[in-house]
Amino acid sequence: MNNKIYSVFDIIGPKMIGPSSSHTAGAARIGRVARKISRDKIKKVSFYLHGSFASTYRGHGTDRALIAGVLGLQPNDENISRSMEIAKEQGMEYSFIETDLGDVHPNTVKIVLEYNDGKHSELVGSSIGGGSIKIIQINGLDVEFSAEYPTLVIRHIDRPGVIAEVTKIMSHHNINIASMNVFRQHKGEDAFMIIETDHVVSEKIVDEICGLKDKIMSVYMIEAL
Amino acid sequence: MSKDFRNGTELIQICNANSKKISEVMIEREMYLSGKTRDEVIEAMKDSLKTMKDAIEKGLTKDIKSVSGLIGGDAKKLKSRYETTKTVCGKQVNKAVASAMAVLEVNASMGLIVAAPTAGASGILPGAIITVGENFKLGEEEMIHGLFAAGAVGYIITKNATVSGAEGGCQAETGSAAAMAAAAIVEMLGGTPEEALHAASMAIKNILGMVCDPIAGLVEAPCMKRNAIGVANALISADMALAGIKSIIPFDEVVEAMYKVGRALPCSLKETAQGGLAATPTGIRIQKEIFEKIESDKTVTK
């Protein structure tokens, strides 16, 4: 028996574009999270497909779903099937590369977003079944979150007091933290705070957290999928 | 008394202690967990029912081809047969079957469906509930209640076992959908909560052990036909339960048995396209053709 709390709409749902909740709906969701961490107009997106994603992505429409997600479409948007055309209209290039991402879930993709200035962002996510996803890496740093709750992704300096300052802002605005995890690569370097909340965090609060200069590098708000 | 339940036994206890139907208990559980009002919860399910109806309509009337080109148009064929000819199984069964096939065809063509409990099994519940609902002249509200009852059964299976073909084979996927649909029909037609779970148990038992072996790994074939047999399974199980026939093995034990059988199935028979029909000479040939076709289509569009 597992301990997850299931809503009836986890069972009768999601409402989605077929054919596969993991290969299509989950893929679109991972793409959406990638869009949320993009920091500029996306010039080109590359999808590095692993495992079952690599072997069956074309027949499952995983390719179109991923692009749709990066374009900001929801898993139930009927435009998913024409996402490649939409990407062309918007001048966003895309490519798919079959690869081996190592010891990860069979349905995993690494998404690399390139911008006009030559810089890029990266995200690795797995589609773990029934449309649920798990983001496992952002810009080379290991993380873990599901995006089932409104999620704040904060890149910050690994230094005493930063977490307290962020949570103080949250508490000041009466935002309840449902769960919180901190991930870092090396002591004293940069780290990610992943904060899942019960309510959407407003732009104003995001700005306030961004205002903690020289401690915070970037803040992304990912609304619940 | 708690509003939540973890298995069939607890569900029946709550139903009986409060003289409530399964659907009612599930609605109250959802209100309790989500903090939403009754109207909001009902409205959300109404939206799911509408999406289901639209998918059936689309699949039975439009010309549909799946992404790979492997399936499409079979639901319409069956419809034209039951509308013009005397059929072996009768109009209602054929209509339910054609409806289930229609949803799966829509799903495979990247159309809009409701995963119930998964996309690969998304035809069974709509095919059963909507066909029976129309045939018995039930209103939308009764069908919505049917969906909540189905949700309760699906939730118990998800919590205690699995509804994923990759984890438990097709028995877990279309088997769960058939169990959900069978319980829903029993409730819609006035059966007791116990009878609903007997129907769900029988539906799972009927296809215990069924493997998940999709050709080329795609949710197309044999998925569409297993949705067809899944809806027929649900209808038969519901009729048996409404006749007072009981499942000798209780629902919770059937679910556990299904889970254990699923775990015991080799990987080659769990959505990997490495065994069963996918690994037949024809299955392998089709897989090769599909991927060559997609490859050449890509070259053309570039």
Side-chain angles (χ1 to χ4, degrees):
Chain A
M1 190 172 79
N2 69 61
N3 288 321
K4 183 175 182 276
I5 297 167
Y6 291 95
S7 153
V8 70
F9 299 106
D10 291 327
I11 310 298
I12 314 283
K15 184 165 124 180
M16 55 166 274
I17 296 297
S20 160
S21 51
S22 53
H23 288 75
T24 322
R29 285 176 159 179
I30 297 172
R32 266 179 75 81
V33 177
R35 182 187 182 86
K36 291 288 171 186
I37 66 139
S38 68
R39 48 164 198 77
D40 211 342
K41 186 178 184 310
I42 301 161
K43 180 176 169 247
K44 187 183 174 193
V45 55
S46 304
F47 300 98
Y48 294 83
L49 303 159
H50 170 90
S52 171
F53 265 12
S55 50
T56 66
Y57 73 97
R58 294 189 195 110
H60 274 133
T62 307
D63 43 6
R64 295 183 229 187
L66 284 166
I67 293 176
V70 172
L71 291 170
L73 303 184
Q74 296 277 12
N76 63 2
D77 193 319
E78 300 208 62
N79 283 319
I80 285 182
S81 61
R82 50 178 297 270
S83 67
M84 289 177 169
E85 290 78 26
I86 300 173
K88 279 175 194 151
E89 285 159 24
Q90 298 190 2
M92 185 179 86
E93 296 170 48
Y94 55 83
S95 69
F96 294 90
I97 302 111
E98 293 163 37
T99 189
D100 183 349
L101 295 171
D103 185 20
V104 290
H105 188 279
N107 292 330
T108 297
V109 58
K110 175 170 154 181
I111 304 177
V112 179
L113 309 168
E114 290 171 44
Y115 312 107
N116 281 321
D117 60 5
K119 293 190 174 149
H120 67 275
S121 311
E122 278 180 30
L123 171 139
V124 183
S126 304
S127 180
I128 56 173
S132 294
I133 63 164
K134 193 166 77 177
I135 303 301
I136 57 172
Q137 209 181 73
I138 294 178
N139 294 336
L141 218 55
D142 294 338
V143 296
E144 192 178 319
F145 63 97
S146 68
E148 277 176 25
Y149 293 87
T151 307
L152 267 177
V153 177
I154 302 171
R155 186 166 202 169
H156 63 101
I157 302 279
D158 177 36
R159 192 188 294 164
V162 181
I163 293 170
E165 288 192 58
V166 170
T167 52
K168 194 176 150 200
I169 292 173
M170 309 276 288
S171 108
H172 181 71
H173 289 280
N174 209 18
I175 300 280
N176 189 43
I177 295 175
S179 82
M180 174 164 179
N181 279 297
V182 181
F183 305 86
R184 69 174 179 192
Q185 205 87 323
H186 298 290
K187 199 174 168 185
E189 293 178 14
D190 56 336
F192 274 115
M193 237 184 275
I194 309 288
I195 302 175
E196 296 181 318
T197 64
D198 288 332
H199 299 99
V200 178
V201 177
S202 69
E203 196 89 356
K204 186 168 166 271
I205 302 171
V206 171
D207 287 346
E208 219 171 297
I209 297 170
C210 283
L212 301 169
K213 280 183 194 132
D214 68 350
K215 293 168 196 151
I216 303 288
M217 274 94 93
S218 45
V219 182
Y220 307 104
M221 177 62 213
I222 298 159
E223 79 265 37
L225 293 174
Chain B
M1 185 142 195
S2 170
K3 292 215 181 289
D4 203 1
F5 52 90
R6 290 170 298 184
N7 51 42
T9 309
E10 290 182 5
L11 170 62
I12 297 294
Q13 277 168 1
I14 298 177
C15 288
N16 290 347
N18 302 284
S19 304
K20 280 179 178 158
K21 295 175 112 186
I22 292 176
S23 52
E24 192 53 41
V25 170
M26 196 62 181
I27 292 168
E28 288 177 7
R29 175 184 181 273
E30 188 66 23
M31 291 162 60
Y32 166 71
L33 290 177
S34 66
K36 291 189 174 132
T37 65
R38 186 185 185 82
D39 284 351
E40 285 170 330
V41 170
I42 298 274
E43 202 55 37
M45 196 59 95
K46 192 175 173 181
D47 182 58
S48 297
L49 179 66
K50 183 178 181 303
T51 305
M52 290 176 173
K53 280 184 176 164
D54 290 348
I56 291 176
E57 173 70 16
K58 191 173 170 190
L60 287 179
T61 54
K62 298 256 159 62
D63 287 321
I64 286 177
K65 265 281 168 232
S66 67
V67 177
S68 75
L70 189 55
I71 64 165
D74 286 345
K76 278 176 81 173
K77 277 186 197 159
L78 195 60
K79 178 173 184 259
S80 113
R81 176 170 163 79
Y82 71 68
E83 280 186 340
T84 56
T85 316
K86 184 176 180 202
T87 61
V88 181
C89 295
K91 193 173 174 187
Q92 186 185 215
V93 173
N94 275 297
K95 199 173 173 190
V97 168
S99 300
M101 291 164 81
V103 176
L104 246 280
E105 289 180 349
V106 167
N107 181 58
S109 69
M110 297 195 82
L112 189 63
I113 56 97
V114 179
T118 62
S122 58
I124 295 170
L125 193 54
I129 285 195
I130 292 164
T131 310
V132 171
E134 285 173 358
N135 198 37
F136 283 82
K137 301 200 164 41
L138 303 178
E140 197 171 52
E141 198 183 329
E142 282 139 312
M143 293 190 219
I144 291 169
H145 275 77
L147 288 176
F148 277 104
V153 169
Y155 152 67
I156 293 170
I157 300 172
T158 306
K159 188 162 185 68
N160 296 283
T162 177
V163 297
S164 143
E167 211 181 333
C170 196
Q171 56 155 14
E173 208 160 324
T174 62
S176 297
M180 291 160 64
I185 295 169
V186 169
E187 253 212 26
M188 284 161 59
L189 298 184
T192 65
E194 283 95 341
E195 285 168 349
L197 289 198
H198 281 304
S201 304
M202 287 189 271
I204 295 175
K205 294 193 308 187
N206 291 344
I207 63 143
L208 198 65
M210 194 201 275
V211 302
C212 176
D213 53 352
I215 294 170
L218 305 176
V219 189
E220 298 191 12
C223 318
M224 194 229 349
K225 284 163 195 146
R226 289 196 182 144
N227 273 259
I229 200 68
V231 78
N233 180 7
L235 301 183
I236 294 162
S237 300
D239 259 336
M240 286 198 285
L242 287 166
I245 298 171
K246 294 186 164 98
S247 169
I248 294 166
I249 310 294
F251 176 69
D252 290 329
E253 290 180 41
V254 171
V255 170
E256 194 185 348
M258 185 275 280
Y259 191 42
K260 285 183 173 162
V261 168
R263 299 289 285 266
L265 285 175
C267 259
S268 61
L269 299 174
K270 289 190 275 195
E271 213 179 333
T272 52
Q274 286 164 1
L277 299 174
T280 57
T282 303
I284 293 167
R285 175 179 57 77
I286 293 171
Q287 169 160 7
K288 206 166 153 258
E289 284 168 7
I290 287 172
F291 289 135
E292 276 167 7
K293 180 180 170 289
I294 292 172
E295 203 59 48
S296 68
D297 285 354
K298 264 178 64 178
T299 324
V300 173
T301 51
K302 259 178 191 169

